[in-house]
């Protein structure tokens, strides 16, 4: 793609390429911790929003509800999460992080931060704030059906 191409389509392609590379680099750094990017996203969402539903977890981890169930089963077997035996609203079982997940997330956050730092090292702090604001506005615009 031509770096001077400023068409809306090229912006979409650039965002997708950046997202794909970010995902690859995060995967590279999380793999030694035996975590995938969706698992990391799930654990982070549970840390940030205790009591979150499986449906919302799936959305935040960019996986289907069925895939989230499989993902949670794997995290439960590893002793990283505990799922309630009692179904809650909409028959979903609550999920909480275990201490092992909290420790693992400390290391995972460091690894992901190093990737984001690498991605933004050439971007001035004030530009990073603006980039965040712009991307959030783009995301929010797409939330409207």
């Amino acid at each position: 793609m031509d770096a001077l191409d400023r068409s809306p389509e090229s912006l979409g392609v650039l965002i997708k390429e950046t997202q794909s590379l970010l995902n690859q680099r995060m995967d590279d750094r999380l793999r030694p911790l035996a975590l995938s990017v969706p698992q990391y996203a799930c654990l982070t969402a549970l840390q940030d929003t205790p009591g979150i539903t499986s449906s919302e977890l799936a959305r935040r981890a960019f996986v289907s509800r069925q895939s989230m169930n499989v993902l949670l089963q794997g995290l439960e077997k590893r002793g990283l999460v505990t799922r309630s035996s009692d179904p809650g609203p909409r028959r979903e079982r609550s999920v909480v992080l275990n201490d092992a997940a909290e420790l693992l997330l400390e290391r995972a956050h460091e690894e992901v931060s190093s990737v984001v730092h690498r991605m933004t090292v050439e971007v001035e702090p004030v530009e990073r704030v603006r980039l965040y604001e712009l991307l959030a506005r783009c995301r929010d615009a797409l939330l409207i059906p």
Side-chain angles (χ1 to χ4, degrees), residues 78-106:
R78 286 181 59 190
L80 298 174
V81 301
T82 302
R83 295 202 293 176
S84 167
S85 57
D86 299 322
R90 289 180 269 150
R91 300 172 35 109
E92 294 187 272
R93 297 176 4 186
S94 65
V95 182
V96 294
L97 293 180
N98 294 340
D99 291 342
E102 295 284 355
L103 292 173
L104 181 62
L105 273 174
E106 283 181 35

Side-chain angles (χ1 to χ4, degrees), residues 63-89:
V63 298
S64 68
R65 287 178 48 196
Q66 294 79 9
S67 294
M68 180 52 64
N69 189 45
V70 172
L71 190 149
L72 286 170
Q73 287 173 0
L75 293 173
E76 188 174 27
K77 286 179 185 170
R78 286 181 59 190
L80 298 174
V81 301
T82 302
R83 295 202 293 176
S84 167
S85 57
D86 299 322

Side-chain angles (χ1 to χ4, degrees), residues 42 45-46 49-57 60 92-95:
C42 173
L46 284 168
T49 314
I52 190 171
T53 66
S54 296
S55 298
E56 183 60 25
L57 276 174
R60 290 196 192 183
E92 294 187 272
R93 297 176 4 186
S94 65
V95 182

Side-chain angles (χ1 to χ4, degrees), residues 12 14-15 34-35 43 46 48 57 79 91-93 105 111 123 127-128 145:
L14 178 61
I15 291 170
L35 279 179
L43 292 174
L46 284 168
D48 293 345
L57 276 174
R91 300 172 35 109
E92 294 187 272
R93 297 176 4 186
L105 273 174
E111 295 299 330
V123 180
E127 292 175 309
R128 261 182 291 206

